[in-house]
Amino acid sequence: MKQALVTALLVLMSLAVTRTASAKDGATMRVGSKRFVESYILAEMVAQLAREGGASVEHDQGLGGTAVVFRAIEDGSIDVYPEYTGTLAAATVKTGASDLAALRAALAPRGLAISDPLGFENTYALAVSRSVATKLGLTKVSDLVGHPDLRVAMSHEFLGRRDGWPGLAERYGLAFAAPPKAIDHALAYEAISRGESDVIDVYTTDAKIGRFDLVVLADDRRFFPPYDAVLVYRADLPARVPAFAKVLERLRGAIDATSMQKMNARAELDGVPFARVAADFLAKRAGSAGDRVGLLAGTLDVVKRHGPRHLMLVAVSLAMSIAVGVPLGILAYARRRVGAAVLGLAGVVQTIPSLALFCFFIPLFGIGPVPALAALFVYGLLPIVRNTHAGLVSIPADLRDSAIAIGLSPSERLRHVELPLASRTILAGIKTSAVVAVGSATIAAFIGAGGFGEPISTGLSLNDVTMIMEGAIPAAAMALLVEGAFVVIERAVVPRGLRESREV
Amino acid sequence: MAALALERVTKAFGTRAVIRETSLELAAGEKLALIGPSGCGKSTLLRMILGLVVPDSGTVRVGDVVVSASSARAVRRRVGYVIQDGGLFPHLTAEENVTLVSRLNGRDGAALRARVSELAELAGLPEALLSRFPHALSGGERQRVGLMRALMLDPDVLLLDEPLGALDPIVRARLQEDLRDAFRKLEKSVLLVTHDMAEAAYLADSIAVMRDGAIVQRGTMKDLVDAPAHPFVAEFVGAQRTLTEALR
């Protein structure tokens, strides 16, 4: 029984390792995306086209921000992801040069290549409402100069960035009677539609530009660097996966800004799954807005797709926490000074926010399930170490003495008296760790480990409550099931005499 | 050769002296009661013999073996130890409690079973109770199981630390009788810690009175009553009210 359990765990662990390694063996092409709608849609297009071409494709949705995704492609965990030239220039290559040739030259030594532009730009821009634009005849940023009475509202980030408002105002000589108001980006659209402000900053493919009928002013003095959408891919990918070469061809200049805006709107505002949005665009379908599945069906689908991974994350990390935590707890009990240090250290680890802990392991293990397992393992240690120690310490002195007095060796005492007597407390610690792991594992999706956190993180970036629920409900259900399972496990593990004596 | 000898042992916990230079010998087959008020050090003395307490100075001998960190485990298997309420392990049945050490040493089967039956009879425990967990036994029954466990390895010396302290008078009286019978049959050396004079006189050949970590007087009950070596002995003996006195 015990051996079977150990074998099963080993198999699970090796599966986890092979899965992460699979991007490198060439059989599968792995597409990554950042955690926002447009990136999901573009990555989904790449995945679908490659699949059509016969390749085996996995899409790691919403791995994280630029830093995480770029690291993933550098170490080969993914093969391709959508990116913007301006972002590459500023955040990853840091050459200052932002033209495609310079970027390609900079990435080539790292084994990375950049596709031709996909056809649209997603850059900062200023926008005004259609009525104001018509009334004042505004089409480009320099048209704003003659209208100092316009009310300007900008996102905090845009106001603060040197390459945002300060630089822009200087380049165009813009001056307004009232200083620009700082406002949350999501609220800026509401403000302009209610006539509370006249000029706001936008991204050129924002879903809401079309919805709120805004006019984007042309950057006629080329202040903003180009943010052309491109694909960054492993240089050997077209040779390794022939279908990908066709994908590059098919997407070259294929998407204009208006199309992208509409696709973003469908996904973000209408709640259409982005796989569907991507498929519709590729099939040149306009597509309809309302074709979501219900919450129940969606939840069941999530359980089927993400349940096994979530369970694996919890089971493997918990097994490791037990394998290390129980001996550490015993050590803490046997050696008082070591014990204080161990318990103190474990306590400190527990105060680290779980997301931060997950990120600590990225430099060591890259992204995917391995760093997630490491983080969950460390997170699960404290309750087990603490309860093992507490359970052993709380054994009544007369029983401890009796065990010594009848002539048992230290190891016999531990195995036949002390651990059985502490088993209920130790098990309670393991249960705590298990339930915490079920919850914490939802955060693992933020570093690309999958599980029920995947619909949650995607739902967060889409502001889609239903999708968040589709991940949260099974996670909560699993936590309850784990609680229930421990009732059964306690019957098997805690000696009968102890269980009965507590009931009296 | 003495079955048990403590030679000029001392022990202090911090600055508090618990055992002041004390010597005590127990001949083979002798039954001695160690008596005295709470906190006089009698339990500590008993625990020294098992190596549960290490003396600051002096030596402890069980048979011809000097008790030390390295010899303690071997000594413990030659010494039976019974404490108040039996000290039984709650996760093991009565029988498992009795046989734990034997089973760990690889003994099993019919011989083990027969030994348990023999001990059950000696300790006056119905065999039907052997499969029960300690929580399902009465205080007296637990004490009988504790005695069986102490005798399982057929030790030379039996140490009992207030074994009947937690029992009601009727159970106590019955157990006292059964213990006396068992002691007579076994002819083992017995060191019994109690603070009940009558129990001491009933179960032991002689009595040692302890006070403040030292033995004040050792003798038979008659010696202690007729010729107390110290006013404290007279006081301690006199403090035990007899039934007749109470009825007066």
Side-chain angles (χ1 to χ4, degrees), chain A residues 141-413:
Chain A
V141 177
S142 52
D143 291 343
L144 291 172
V145 174
H147 304 283
D149 51 336
L150 286 172
R151 293 156 304 166
V152 182
M154 300 284 158
S155 65
H156 297 86
E157 190 193 353
F158 188 72
L159 267 182
R161 282 171 67 144
R162 180 70 209 131
D163 57 350
W165 176 252
L168 183 78
E170 195 183 311
R171 171 75 61 88
Y172 284 94
L174 296 177
F176 294 96
K181 198 162 51 167
I183 190 170
D184 188 80
H185 190 65
L187 298 177
Y189 291 97
E190 306 291 336
I192 203 168
S193 73
R194 278 189 271 123
E196 288 166 8
S197 45
D198 303 310
V199 183
I200 62 170
D201 64 310
V202 295
Y203 299 105
T204 45
T205 56
D206 265 1
K208 289 174 179 166
I209 292 176
R211 283 306 149 100
F212 288 90
D213 197 20
L214 304 187
V215 173
V216 175
L217 300 178
D219 180 19
D220 51 330
R221 291 191 191 166
R222 304 286 316 157
F223 172 73
F224 295 113
Y227 275 78
D228 289 308
V230 292
L231 299 176
V232 176
Y233 57 94
R234 308 278 315 166
D236 62 347
L237 187 61
R240 194 147 52 80
V241 181
F244 180 68
K246 295 214 179 70
V247 174
L248 286 176
E249 232 161 83
R250 169 79 168 77
L251 288 181
R252 179 183 300 135
I255 310 164
D256 59 45
T258 314
S259 302
M260 195 65 240
Q261 230 182 66
K262 282 183 181 152
M263 284 191 276
N264 285 340
R266 279 189 77 206
E268 200 174 324
L269 306 178
D270 302 332
V272 179
F274 32 74
R276 179 65 183 273
V277 172
D280 286 347
F281 175 82
L282 294 174
K284 298 218 191 319
R285 287 192 298 249
S288 59
D291 55 3
R292 310 197 46 130
V293 295
L295 177 60
L296 182 66
T299 304
L300 289 177
D301 183 52
V302 164
V303 169
K304 236 187 303 172
R305 276 195 299 149
H306 302 295
R309 167 56 67 91
H310 202 89
L311 199 61
M312 183 283 284
L313 288 173
V314 172
V316 174
S317 66
L318 186 66
M320 294 192 294
S321 297
I322 295 169
V324 175
V326 172
L328 267 184
I330 294 170
L331 182 71
Y333 161 70
R335 303 248 180 284
R336 199 172 303 178
R337 212 170 294 168
V338 178
V342 166
L343 290 172
L345 190 68
V348 168
V349 170
Q350 207 70 7
T351 64
I352 301 173
S354 45
L355 185 56
L357 193 64
F358 277 103
C359 293
F360 278 160
F361 286 101
I362 295 179
L364 290 173
F365 300 116
I367 56 156
V370 175
L373 285 173
L376 289 172
F377 153 69
V378 170
Y379 229 50
L381 271 182
L382 177 68
I384 296 178
V385 174
R386 195 178 43 200
N387 274 41
T388 303
H389 176 259
L392 291 169
V393 165
S394 67
I395 293 172
D398 60 337
L399 291 185
R400 213 192 319 262
D401 281 353
S402 286
I404 299 172
I406 63 175
L408 297 180
S409 70
S411 65
E412 287 170 338
R413 290 204 299 269

Side-chain angles (χ1 to χ4, degrees), chain A residues 431-504:
Chain A
K431 178 166 79 174
T432 304
S433 284
V435 174
V436 167
V438 172
S440 304
T442 58
I443 295 167
F446 286 83
I447 60 169
F452 292 142
E454 206 160 298
I456 294 177
S457 67
T458 308
L460 280 173
S461 65
L462 296 179
N463 195 20
D464 180 338
V465 177
T466 309
M467 192 178 282
I468 295 173
M469 294 302 286
E470 284 171 3
I473 291 171
M478 188 183 274
L480 289 174
L481 280 176
V482 165
E483 283 259 14
F486 269 87
V487 174
V488 180
I489 294 172
E490 186 173 294
R491 291 206 151 272
V493 173
V494 177
R496 208 178 110 212
L498 279 188
R499 277 185 277 127
E500 289 174 354
S501 64
R502 299 286 175 93
E503 281 158 15
V504 167

Side-chain angles (χ1 to χ4, degrees), chain B:
Chain B
M1 185 187 58
L4 183 68
L6 294 114
E7 289 158 19
R8 305 173 60 144
V9 291
T10 63
K11 181 71 191 179
F13 291 136
T15 55
R16 198 170 67 88
V18 183
I19 303 292
R20 302 169 199 278
E21 201 175 287
T22 297
S23 297
L24 181 71
E25 259 194 37
L26 194 62
E30 184 180 6
K31 286 144 189 75
L32 174 70
L34 203 52
I35 199 161
S38 301
C40 70
K42 49 194 195 301
S43 289
T44 305
L45 214 56
L46 215 61
R47 292 161 57 79
M48 252 181 205
I49 299 164
L50 290 160
L52 291 172
V53 171
V54 179
D56 296 334
S57 65
T59 54
V60 178
R61 232 182 280 273
V62 172
D64 52 357
V65 180
V66 173
V67 178
S68 67
S70 58
S71 71
R73 257 186 74 206
V75 166
R76 286 167 194 152
R77 300 198 171 194
R78 293 172 54 187
V79 177
Y81 183 50
V82 184
I83 60 172
Q84 204 172 69
D85 208 35
L88 300 182
F89 305 128
H91 64 295
L92 301 177
T93 64
E95 178 160 3
E96 287 167 344
N97 262 285
V98 173
T99 58
L100 177 62
V101 178
S102 303
R103 281 184 288 121
L104 290 179
N105 287 335
R107 284 180 58 189
D108 211 340
L112 191 65
R113 188 58 240 180
R115 173 75 179 146
V116 172
S117 289
E118 180 191 339
L119 287 173
E121 200 193 327
L122 182 76
L125 186 82
E127 290 206 36
L129 301 186
L130 283 172
S131 58
R132 290 205 188 165
F133 286 101
H135 71 86
L137 297 172
S138 71
E141 288 159 355
R142 280 203 287 273
Q143 214 46 265
R144 292 177 197 274
V145 177
L147 181 66
M148 287 172 66
R149 185 173 71 181
L151 292 172
M152 185 65 195
L153 296 183
D154 199 19
D156 307 323
V157 179
L158 198 54
L159 305 178
L160 301 102
D161 192 351
E162 305 202 18
L164 311 180
L167 303 176
D168 68 64
I170 297 173
V171 177
R172 193 181 169 113
R174 281 193 49 198
L175 252 163
Q176 281 170 347
E177 281 171 35
D178 291 351
L179 272 181
R180 188 159 78 158
D181 291 349
F183 289 170
R184 280 190 184 142
K185 265 183 227 161
L186 293 171
E187 298 180 342
K188 293 191 186 305
S189 308
V190 174
L191 187 56
L192 166 77
V193 163
T194 177
H195 50 226
D196 180 341
M197 280 302 275
E199 184 172 293
Y202 185 70
L203 290 175
D205 310 324
S206 59
I207 297 171
V209 181
M210 262 191 102
R211 183 204 188 199
D212 286 343
I215 291 173
V216 189
Q217 186 176 2
R218 178 177 176 172
T220 62
M221 182 70 176
K222 195 166 159 25
D223 295 339
L224 299 184
V225 173
D226 294 349
H230 191 279
F232 170 75
V233 175
E235 193 190 348
F236 193 80
V237 173
Q240 310 267 334
R241 307 231 178 287
T242 62
L243 200 57
T244 35
E245 190 183 353
L247 281 171
R248 198 179 295 155

